[in-house]
Amino acid sequence: MLQSVWRYRHFILASIRGDLRGRFARSRLGAFWFILHPLAQSLIFSIVLAEVMRARMPNIDNQAAYPIYLLSGMAAWGLFSEILNRSLNIFIEQGSAMKKISFPRLCLPVIVLGSALINHVLLLAAILVIFMFFGHFPGLAWFYLIPGMAIISILAFGIGVFLGVLNVFARDIAQFMSVFMQLWFWFTPIVYLKSVIPPKFLPFIELNPMTPLVGLYQDALLLNQGPSWVGLWPAVFFGAIAVALSFVVFRRASPDLVDAL
């Protein structure tokens, strides 16, 4: 499967360009909409919770600490949710193309992955400008975002492809995930700090593979610190298992995908 994807790499690159152009078509702001939506959501949370959460960050003197903390977590979650949610529906959305054109079906979620990474880089560039406006300048810890992006992409890709295949045969998967992703968001320390979580809920937060990945972004962008590499291993392990399982399920279901659509 990977060899077939590599042989169609030019098709994938052209499709990523076409996907980005299609999403920006007839829009005066174009790519800025993919930046403005998460920034607007973060602004709303910051306005509502800034005073409350600022008191929970006593060791940081920066007045913009909570908005920076929030934007960092939202950036990590945005990459994860975009890859997962789009991969979940990509086979259904491209059903007509799959019936008319012969190409490796695995190219579709790979196109989603490439498009999401480009959007994420644009968002990080916008966040960098906002941080500099706050007087918070980037440090070398920003380079830690590269392995963070890789692990998040692997995790989201594996879960997204696995559920995307199942969604073709059972459309309730997408409906269930729309609710589950909201719960997953609030069980990830993005809007709140991990230190304010009641002890009875802490085990659930620790089992969440997105907790250390969001923490990587927050430590790198707010504190200019590297992550705890030991803490990232569960996310890496879970992502590897998800990718392997998705490949097995995809390979077995691939001959029946078009018929089910």
Side-chain angles (χ1 to χ4, degrees):
M1 288 189 296
L2 295 178
Q3 288 178 348
S4 63
V5 169
W6 174 251
R7 286 197 299 268
Y8 277 76
R9 61 190 181 277
H10 301 296
F11 167 75
I12 292 173
L13 293 175
S15 298
I16 291 174
R17 289 194 295 267
D19 178 67
L20 294 174
R21 290 172 182 171
R23 296 167 75 182
F24 302 156
R26 298 184 180 182
S27 174
R28 294 185 180 274
L29 294 180
F32 283 104
W33 283 116
F34 298 101
I35 299 172
L36 292 176
H37 283 302
L39 292 182
Q41 188 176 13
S42 300
L43 178 62
I44 293 171
F45 280 127
S46 296
I47 293 174
V48 174
L49 299 173
E51 294 299 327
V52 176
M53 298 308 299
R54 188 180 301 166
R56 301 284 186 174
M57 308 178 78
N59 297 324
I60 302 177
D61 297 330
N62 191 345
Q63 294 296 317
Y66 179 67
I68 294 172
Y69 174 88
L70 180 60
L71 280 171
S72 303
M74 292 291 289
W77 180 261
L79 175 62
F80 174 74
S81 62
E82 181 178 0
I83 296 173
L84 196 157
N85 288 329
R86 292 194 62 201
S87 298
L88 180 63
N89 296 296
I90 190 64
F91 298 116
I92 295 175
E93 293 175 357
Q94 299 298 327
S96 59
M98 292 171 62
K99 295 177 182 179
K100 298 175 182 178
I101 306 173
S102 177
F103 63 93
R105 310 310 185 202
L106 193 60
C107 289
L108 293 175
V110 173
I111 293 168
V112 168
L113 175 63
S115 178
L117 286 172
I118 293 175
N119 292 336
H120 186 65
V121 171
L122 293 175
L123 177 61
L124 289 177
I127 287 176
L128 174 61
V129 174
I130 294 174
F131 286 3
M132 294 176 67
F133 175 78
F134 286 143
H136 184 77
F137 295 94
L140 293 177
W142 274 65
F143 286 104
Y144 290 115
L145 298 185
I146 297 175
M149 290 169 57
I151 300 172
I152 291 173
S153 300
I154 291 172
L155 179 65
F157 181 85
I159 299 174
V161 172
F162 174 74
L163 294 179
V165 173
L166 297 183
N167 192 41
V168 172
F169 301 96
R171 304 298 171 87
D172 293 337
I173 298 293
Q175 303 300 326
F176 169 78
M177 286 303 297
S178 65
V179 177
F180 183 77
M181 288 296 288
Q182 297 181 48
L183 293 174
W184 198 340
F185 174 84
W186 288 106
F187 270 88
T188 307
I190 299 173
V191 178
Y192 54 86
L193 288 107
K194 191 176 178 180
S195 59
V196 305
I197 301 172
K200 62 180 180 180
F201 293 116
L202 198 56
F204 298 100
I205 304 299
E206 295 288 352
L207 290 174
N208 181 358
M210 280 301 295
T211 296
L213 295 172
V214 168
L216 183 151
Y217 270 65
Q218 292 163 341
D219 290 342
L221 300 185
L222 175 61
L223 304 177
N224 196 28
Q225 295 178 357
S228 170
W229 298 110
V230 175
L232 290 174
W233 276 112
V236 174
F237 176 77
F238 189 79
I241 294 297
V243 170
L245 186 61
S246 68
F247 278 9
V248 171
V249 172
F250 180 85
R251 186 172 184 176
R252 292 186 177 182
S254 184
D256 300 323
L257 280 178
V258 175
D259 294 335
L261 291 168

